[in-house]
Amino acid sequence: MQTELSRKLGVEHAVFGFTPFPAVAAAISRAGGFGVLGAVRYTAPDDLKRDLDWLDTHAGGRPYGLDVVMPAKKVEGVTEADVEAMIPQEHRQFVRDTLARYGVPELAEGEASGWRITGWMEQVARTQLDVAFGYPIKLLANALGSPPADVVARAHDRGVQVAALAGSARHARKHREAGIDIVVAQGYEAGGHTGEIATMVLTPEIVDAVDPLPVLAAGGIGSGQQVAAALTLGAQGVWLGSIWLTTTEADLHSTALTRKLLAAGSGDTVRSRALTGKPARQLRTEWTDAWDDPAGPGTLPMPLQGLLVADAVSRIQKYEVEPLLGTPVGQIVGRMSSERSVQAVFDDLTRGFEKAVDRINRIAGRSGT
């Protein structure tokens, strides 16, 4: 599964694996792919440094990258406290009432939320970069548009490729104008924040829009046949996220959540603003249903919604309140029916890819490889 881009980055397979877990990122790189660690949950620089130390030690000398979330436009002088003060009391009461209805216990006195959305704030992302640029990362990805121009320049000065996610050809062209090196065409099927266009339609549109920049296809991909399809559409690789959530290296801290993911079908996700304030595909739960109910107060814009629900999400996760328990995940969840190692996922991808290529060769009248 090699392409010009994978050869340039020194990886065996053009499979870029996004994950919040250092152990998964390292395993992806060791398996011949390109592990990308999500940084949004690291609000303390020392925590990110600790996990990058571990990742660098366990990646087997293979390349890896970092994914951050930062806006292209900077807002000066806005603190987390300023944002918190903008949250209406009506919404705070709605959270309290919903948690009480399901009997969700409080966190222990003095226990801080384990899930904060502050990683979405630019000043936090910049501290993450200060740490990350002290490591031999080969790729910096931004999930919220093009990074600020000075960040792109800083990465390029260090020989680091910059990638940005796009949900439309218009967004992709803006990335090209901003000096981005790799565009990730993220389709509607993907987990997390997505646009309205499906991967099958979006990928060739973006390939044509930014040619000759390399494009990675994302959204609904979890088999070798789909990898082959993505490359046939003009992508130079795939960007996979959801498929790693049920690997043995992943650390969800919740057997209940793993059980729900393994049992879910491809129709059991929903695009909801319940988590961050922007449409994000996630498991459909009674929590997402409550926020999407027209009788409720409705969600707040980013980053207000994320700050509003941070403690609630931590409580739901800690006490594994199954009706409310969910996570961002794409429609590929329907294929995630068993726990496997990262290496087993790669073995399945390569077998499926070979079968797909052989099938196309036969259709084209050429002998198989």
Side-chain angles (χ1 to χ4, degrees), residues 1-365:
M1 297 188 290
Q2 275 212 335
T3 65
E4 181 182 349
L5 178 61
S6 66
R7 286 189 288 270
K8 180 179 180 179
L9 291 173
V11 294
E12 182 180 355
H13 302 302
V15 174
F16 294 72
F18 164 80
T19 174
F21 307 116
V24 175
I28 291 168
S29 292
R30 291 197 308 271
F34 195 106
V36 182
L37 179 65
V40 70
R41 67 192 180 98
Y42 294 99
T43 56
D46 286 347
D47 291 341
L48 178 58
K49 185 178 186 306
R50 176 201 64 218
D51 282 359
L52 283 175
D53 281 338
W54 192 96
L55 173 55
D56 194 58
T57 301
H58 291 83
R62 307 290 183 87
Y64 61 89
L66 191 76
D67 179 278
V68 298
V69 179
M70 60 192 312
K73 296 181 180 178
K74 187 174 183 177
V75 179
E76 299 283 356
V78 178
T79 66
E80 183 179 344
D82 295 331
V83 177
E84 287 267 15
M86 299 168 65
I87 298 174
Q89 286 303 314
E90 175 191 14
H91 286 75
R92 295 187 185 278
Q93 188 61 49
F94 180 76
V95 171
R96 289 193 288 268
D97 291 345
T98 303
L99 296 178
R101 187 159 64 249
Y102 290 91
V104 183
E106 297 276 356
L107 294 175
E109 185 176 352
E111 183 178 358
S113 164
W115 187 90
R116 300 296 289 175
I117 202 68
T118 48
W120 297 90
M121 301 180 75
E122 183 183 347
Q123 61 266 35
V124 176
R126 286 184 177 275
T127 63
Q128 293 167 349
L129 293 178
D130 290 339
V131 172
F133 283 139
Y135 292 82
I137 63 171
K138 300 300 182 184
L139 178 73
L140 172 66
N142 189 38
L144 201 63
S146 303
D150 68 295
V151 171
V152 175
R154 189 177 175 191
H156 286 167
D157 287 345
R158 289 165 172 76
V160 176
Q161 296 275 292
V162 181
L165 276 64
S168 71
R170 178 174 60 87
H171 293 153
R173 291 188 190 97
K174 289 184 177 180
H175 294 337
R176 181 184 60 188
E177 293 164 4
I180 300 303
D181 304 294
I182 302 167
V183 177
V184 181
Q186 186 181 43
Y188 174 82
E189 305 95 323
H193 295 116
T194 69
E196 302 281 353
I197 307 172
T199 305
M200 191 77 174
V201 175
L202 181 66
T203 301
E205 284 187 355
I206 288 184
V207 167
D208 290 343
V210 302
D211 184 60
L213 287 186
V215 173
L216 302 178
I221 301 173
S223 73
Q225 291 89 337
Q226 290 169 312
V227 175
L231 300 190
T232 302
L233 293 172
Q236 287 207 31
V238 293
W239 178 273
L240 309 185
S242 298
I243 197 72
W244 315 113
L245 289 174
T246 52
T247 56
T248 53
E249 292 89 347
D251 188 10
L252 288 176
H253 299 293
S254 172
T255 55
L257 181 53
T258 299
R259 186 166 59 247
K260 289 186 75 171
L261 286 169
L262 294 174
S266 56
D268 292 328
T269 68
V270 63
R271 284 173 78 243
S272 172
R273 299 177 184 268
L275 188 61
T276 68
K278 290 185 69 176
R281 186 170 296 285
Q282 54 203 280
L283 275 182
R284 182 176 181 179
T285 66
E286 293 184 33
W287 177 255
T288 62
D289 285 349
W291 282 104
D292 294 338
D293 188 339
T299 56
L300 297 169
M302 180 187 284
L304 301 183
Q305 182 72 14
L307 287 171
L308 169 65
V309 304
D311 286 341
V313 170
S314 286
R315 289 164 61 185
I316 292 167
Q317 291 175 344
K318 176 177 179 178
Y319 299 110
E320 297 193 323
V321 184
E322 289 206 35
L324 306 179
L325 188 63
T327 185
V329 69
Q331 290 179 330
I332 197 63
V333 70
R335 292 185 64 96
M336 297 156 51
S337 56
S338 64
E339 290 187 79
R340 300 177 293 168
S341 68
V342 167
Q343 183 62 60
V345 173
F346 267 90
D347 291 343
D348 183 61
L349 290 174
T350 53
R351 282 192 299 266
F353 181 82
E354 290 168 356
K355 288 180 181 179
V357 171
D358 185 57
R359 185 182 303 120
I360 293 299
N361 282 332
R362 291 197 308 270
I363 292 170

